[in-house]
Each structure stands twice: as C-alpha cells, then as structure tokens.
Amino acid sequence: MLLGIGAVGAGAFVVVFLLDGWTRPGYSSVRHPVSALALGSRGWLQTANFIICGSATCLGAAGVLFAGQSIWLGWVLVVFGLSLAASGIFPMDPMRGYPPGAPHGDPDTFSRHHTLHDYAGMLVFGTLPAAAAISAVVLPWGMMRIASAAVAVGLVAGFVAFGRAWESDSPRAGVIQKVMITAGWLWLAAVFVAFL
C-alpha cells in the first residue's frame, strides 16, 4: 500500500503541474518553472501538489525501507520527499513576468522563503539522481538497473542544462525543467511499482 501511494503521488505530480500550467492565464509552460505555479490566485494548487507528492514519496520510501532491498535508497527518497514538501511550504518570489504584473527580471534581493525554496530545490534535484544511481546498483531487476543508470545521467545533465538556462533567463528554461521533472518523477513511480 505504501509503495502504491508513492507511485500514484509521483505520477499525479506530473499530471497536475502539466494541466495547471497549460490552463493558467499568464503562465508560460515553456519559459516559467514549475515552482512559479505556486504563485497567484491558483497557487494553492501547486503548493498542495508539492506537499502531497512529497508526503506520498515519504510513504513510498517507507515501503522501500520495509521491503529491505536498500536502506540507502529508502532514506535518500525520504530526503527527496521532505525537500519536495518544503518546496511547497516556502514559495519562490514573483519574477520574470509571473504572476502577471510581476517584474520581468529578478528582484534585487530575494526573500527568506525564496532562499529556503532554492535550498529545498537543490536537495530535490540532488537526491533524485542520487536515488537513481543507487537503484542502478542495488535493484535486483536487470532492466530497472539499466533504466536507473540512464535516468541518473539524464537527470544530472538536465539539472545542469536547466541551471544554465535559468541563469541566462532563457525563454526555454521552463520546458527544460519540465522534461527533466517528468522523466525523473515517472522513473520514481516505476521504481515504486517495481517494488510492489
């Protein structure tokens, strides 16, 4: 049951941010990051998405720990889940034209909650490739090991690409991040299903 909750939470996270982003007035799925969806009048939806998916991941991680396959994988996924939930508790600052009326650039100084959001994001995007790398070594299923290794490499490359795009205010930064998140979260759902 715990593993099933983790799988549903990971898959639902992707569905929610994609649908919300496509239907949100003033939001560009190509330019803006997923975290920007936690701003504005409908921001509660992405905030809840962060917190619910993070909590579901922690429950799925408990299922991995109870399965006894890998303590390291289970605990890394706990940190990932907690960091994802923290990303919802501490929203980013309005910037780069979102929500509508926000400055088109970055603020001169960032708020404390934005800084905490950034730290949580670093943990999110650091622990997920670590979990994939651990899975490539410890999982007993051959194809899942190969897929996990590919995902680990892809997530690191995606994180670097997104970082560069974000720093240069690329108009495609959002789509780079969404491709990376979609691949990573769907891999996570598949891992939970595999443990089932």
Side-chain angles (χ1 to χ4, degrees):
M1 174 147 178
L2 294 174
L3 293 164
I5 292 170
V8 170
F13 184 84
V14 173
V15 171
V16 168
F17 83 69
L18 287 176
L19 290 177
D20 190 27
W22 286 333
T23 60
R24 182 82 67 97
Y27 179 85
S28 168
S29 291
V30 174
R31 180 182 185 208
H32 297 124
V34 169
S35 294
L37 289 169
L39 303 171
S41 61
R42 265 173 44 186
W44 64 270
L45 181 59
Q46 182 56 37
T47 297
N49 197 26
F50 276 129
I51 294 170
I52 291 168
C53 180
S55 301
T57 300
C58 288
L59 292 173
V64 171
L65 289 167
F66 291 143
Q69 293 281 352
S70 173
I71 291 173
W72 284 106
L73 177 58
W75 283 113
V76 168
L77 290 176
V78 167
V79 174
F80 170 80
L82 292 173
S83 303
L84 192 61
S87 296
I89 294 168
F90 304 108
M92 70 179 285
D93 290 338
M95 62 176 69
R96 301 189 184 185
Y98 193 82
H104 287 284
D106 293 347
D108 293 332
T109 59
F110 293 107
S111 67
R112 183 180 179 117
H113 58 83
H114 180 97
T115 302
L116 291 171
H117 180 87
D118 281 351
Y119 289 146
M122 284 189 283
L123 281 172
V124 165
F125 293 117
T127 53
L128 195 58
I134 291 168
S135 297
V137 175
V138 302
L139 291 182
W141 315 288
M143 286 308 295
M144 278 303 294
R145 282 185 172 192
I146 294 167
S148 296
V151 166
V153 171
L155 287 175
V156 170
F159 182 64
V160 170
F162 171 68
R164 288 179 178 160
W166 181 257
E167 289 303 314
S168 66
D169 195 10
S170 167
R172 292 178 181 80
V175 76
I176 293 169
Q177 186 199 43
K178 287 170 184 70
V179 168
M180 175 181 59
I181 289 175
T182 300
W185 271 244
L186 293 181
W187 166 83
L188 178 60
V191 167
F192 287 140
V193 168
F195 271 102
L196 281 171

